[in-house]
Amino acid sequence: MNAQEREEGTQFAPKFDGNGLLSAVVLDAESKQVLVVAFMNAEALTATRKTGKVTFWSRSRQKLWMKGETSGHVLHVEEILVDCDQDALVIYAKPAGPTCHTGRTSCFYRRLDLEADDATALESVLS
Amino acid sequence: MNAQEREEGTQFAPKFDGNGLLSAVVLDAESKQVLVVAFMNAEALTATRKTGKVTFWSRSRQKLWMKGETSGHVLHVEEILVDCDQDALVIYAKPAGPTCHTGRTSCFYRRLDLEADDATALESVLS
């Protein structure tokens, strides 16, 4: 598949990197808040498409990881968008509960103060 | 730095992976549309913070890549959020023009039809 086909065609041909992964960004379908950013390998992508529940590949644990498998806070897929070179996915989902393991709605609960020193650069934006 | 400090502290301590990279998701600060997903190494992150213009590390070209360096369509940083384990950034930016090299507002211009065969699974959602 050449670049033109990959970018303009109708064929879904996900491009996994050297580690067999692509990036997946999950947003709340309703609020449009970014909930979590992680990776999928081919198996995780297939599971996500088949079950309608967002499934990642955990790089730290080196295993398939269905979001919410222990907490019950699964992410129900509503829509998947694919980028130009097909190496990243944007997934709009309906969360069954807080997405972050810390109990927060989103994993992105801190803002980086662009003026501050690193030691005190993070401030909470979600409780 | 332990997990508790990394997740709950005020210290910005970005966690780069084995390739020295972290994920960066850029959204339009106004429309909240996801524009592009890419990677930053430490140098790209420093450049982004210093210049206020989103700068990535291009894995394919193995070089620093200021978004818009040739097109002029730079992404002006408005806000940066950091996730729980500090290995991903969400950046709200003001784009100076279309973000995608194809001329589209966003790189995510196709939707994956969850029922279709791969050969015909992508449909345009942005012109």
Side-chain angles (χ1 to χ4, degrees):
Chain A
M1 170 173 278
N2 63 34
Q4 168 76 11
E5 287 167 342
R6 184 174 291 279
E7 293 179 359
E8 301 296 338
T10 60
Q11 187 180 349
F12 182 50
K15 199 166 81 182
F16 298 97
D17 69 11
N19 296 314
L21 302 176
L22 50 70
S23 301
V25 180
V26 184
L27 295 91
D28 186 308
E30 199 165 334
S31 71
K32 311 303 182 201
Q33 183 181 33
V34 180
L35 299 175
V36 59
V37 174
F39 295 90
M40 290 184 180
N41 61 3
E43 192 183 356
L45 176 56
T46 298
T48 299
R49 294 170 79 186
K50 191 174 289 181
T51 65
K53 296 172 184 171
V54 173
T55 304
F56 298 122
W57 174 255
S58 168
R59 297 187 301 174
S60 55
R61 292 179 287 147
Q62 288 285 303
K63 59 183 285 246
L64 219 58
W65 161 41
M66 202 241 333
K67 193 79 189 86
E69 62 194 1
T70 52
S71 66
H73 301 157
V74 303
L75 294 163
H76 296 282
V77 175
E78 298 222 332
E79 184 176 42
I80 299 180
L81 300 181
V82 183
D83 76 342
C84 43
D85 55 1
Q86 302 204 35
D87 67 357
L89 303 177
V90 160
I91 301 175
Y92 289 97
K94 188 174 171 179
T99 294
C100 188
H101 73 286
T102 64
R104 296 172 177 91
T105 313
S106 160
C107 293
F108 293 89
Y109 51 83
R110 288 173 297 183
R111 177 192 289 130
L112 177 64
D113 184 331
L114 295 168
E115 312 294 324
D117 288 334
D118 282 358
T120 57
L122 300 183
E123 49 182 351
S124 286
V125 291
L126 284 180
S127 57
Chain B
M1 170 172 281
N2 63 34
Q4 167 75 12
E5 288 167 342
R6 184 175 292 278
E7 294 178 0
E8 302 296 337
T10 60
Q11 188 180 348
F12 182 50
K15 199 166 81 182
F16 298 97
D17 69 11
N19 295 315
L21 302 175
L22 49 69
S23 302
V25 179
V26 184
L27 294 91
D28 185 307
E30 199 166 332
S31 71
K32 311 302 182 202
Q33 181 180 33
V34 179
L35 299 176
V36 59
V37 174
F39 295 90
M40 290 183 180
N41 61 4
E43 193 183 355
L45 176 55
T46 298
T48 299
R49 293 171 79 186
K50 190 173 291 182
T51 65
K53 296 174 187 171
V54 174
T55 304
F56 298 123
W57 174 255
S58 168
R59 297 187 301 174
S60 55
R61 291 179 287 147
Q62 288 285 304
K63 61 184 284 245
L64 221 58
W65 161 41
M66 202 230 352
K67 193 81 190 83
E69 62 193 2
T70 52
S71 66
H73 301 157
V74 303
L75 294 163
H76 295 282
V77 175
E78 299 223 329
E79 184 177 43
I80 298 181
L81 301 180
V82 183
D83 76 341
C84 43
D85 54 1
Q86 303 204 36
D87 67 357
L89 303 177
V90 160
I91 302 174
Y92 288 97
K94 187 174 172 178
T99 295
C100 188
H101 73 287
T102 64
R104 296 172 177 92
T105 314
S106 160
C107 293
F108 294 88
Y109 52 83
R110 289 173 296 182
R111 176 192 288 131
L112 177 64
D113 183 331
L114 295 168
E115 312 294 325
D117 289 335
D118 282 0
T120 57
L122 300 183
E123 48 180 354
S124 287
V125 290
L126 285 180
S127 55

